[in-house]
Amino acid sequence: MKIEDLNAVYAIEIEAFKNSTWTMEAYTRELVMNKFAHYFVMELDGEIIGYTGIWLVVDQCQITTVAVAKKMRGKGYSHVLIQHIKDYVKPQADIVSLEVRVDNTPAMRLYERNGFKYGGVRKNYYGEGLDAHVMWVNLNE
Ligand SMILES: CC(C)(COP(=O)(O)OP(=O)(O)OC[C@H]1O[C@@H](n2cnc3c(N)ncnc32)[C@H](O)[C@@H]1OP(=O)(O)O)[C@@H](O)C(=O)NCCC(=O)NCCS
């Protein structure tokens, strides 16, 4: 992901996360200043149709975001993003983890299909009454 991708990325962000707390400035900071952050866009015919981001610290990888443009959902594209992360971090990381809202069925299904297991619940992680599942996968298993 490059700075010039951010308009397209942010258009997807807004439709994907209704109450997103991520601003354009936050994305810019991630790209420019966070040495642990790695962000990727997925393009089809020159158009950005999805993106994902991770924080990679020593041998631990946390997925910070995954989104696919609404009009491109339900076609399996998100699996491409997750597989890319796994391939990218495998030389360095053993564990990939993330948080997902307990009512986000498509996302949980995506992660389950990619070998992620449930590791517990974080109460109120997304605000009052909005819990998250922690999910993780061991890339060496
Ligand atoms: C989650 C998201 C990235 C999935 O992207 P996608 O490209 O549409 O997903 P896919 O087509 O690859 O489908 C992923 C799995 O979810 C299932 N799925 C898709 N939509 C679904 C729905 N509405 N209900 C239940 N399952 C669904 C698919 O069948 C697939 O499982 P399968 O491989 O066993 O068939 C996309 O829905 C999105 O951007 N959501 C908004 C942002 C978000 O919630 N990100 C995750 C944050 S943790």
Side-chain angles (χ1 to χ4, degrees):
M1 189 185 293
K2 302 188 286 291
I3 295 285
E4 51 267 37
D5 296 331
L6 283 182
N7 281 335
V9 165
Y10 207 66
I12 298 174
E13 170 88 17
I14 285 167
E15 63 174 18
F17 302 103
K18 240 192 295 166
N19 300 313
S20 174
T21 52
W22 283 71
T23 59
M24 287 277 271
E25 290 71 29
Y27 270 109
T28 305
R29 271 199 306 277
E30 284 284 274
L31 295 184
V32 175
M33 293 167 67
N34 185 350
K35 64 177 179 167
F36 300 115
H38 304 254
Y39 284 80
F40 309 96
V41 293
M42 176 169 55
E43 290 183 340
L44 184 67
D45 299 330
E47 183 187 350
I48 292 174
I49 62 161
Y51 61 89
T52 187
I54 57 170
W55 289 336
L56 182 57
V57 184
V58 195
D59 59 351
Q60 301 279 317
C61 171
Q62 181 174 12
I63 298 179
T64 58
T65 191
V66 181
V68 170
K70 233 176 206 164
K71 64 179 181 187
M72 302 308 288
R73 288 187 197 158
K75 301 174 194 288
Y77 287 122
S78 62
H79 292 277
V80 178
L81 290 170
I82 299 301
Q83 191 56 50
H84 177 73
I85 289 174
K86 286 171 138 186
D87 294 342
Y88 181 83
V89 305
K90 194 157 192 267
Q92 186 177 329
D94 299 326
I95 303 291
V96 181
S97 64
L98 56 89
E99 282 87 17
V100 56
R101 251 174 77 156
V102 296
D103 59 356
N104 193 344
T105 308
M108 288 188 291
R109 179 91 189 130
L110 165 67
Y111 303 132
E112 283 171 6
R113 293 274 282 173
N114 284 278
F116 285 74
K117 300 184 176 84
Y118 290 90
V121 170
R122 289 203 166 148
K123 296 296 260 181
N124 303 322
Y125 183 80
Y126 293 104
E128 189 59 36
L130 298 174
D131 299 344
H133 285 300
V134 178
M135 297 185 77
W136 62 276
V137 64
N138 184 337
L139 298 178
N140 294 315
E141 274 179 358

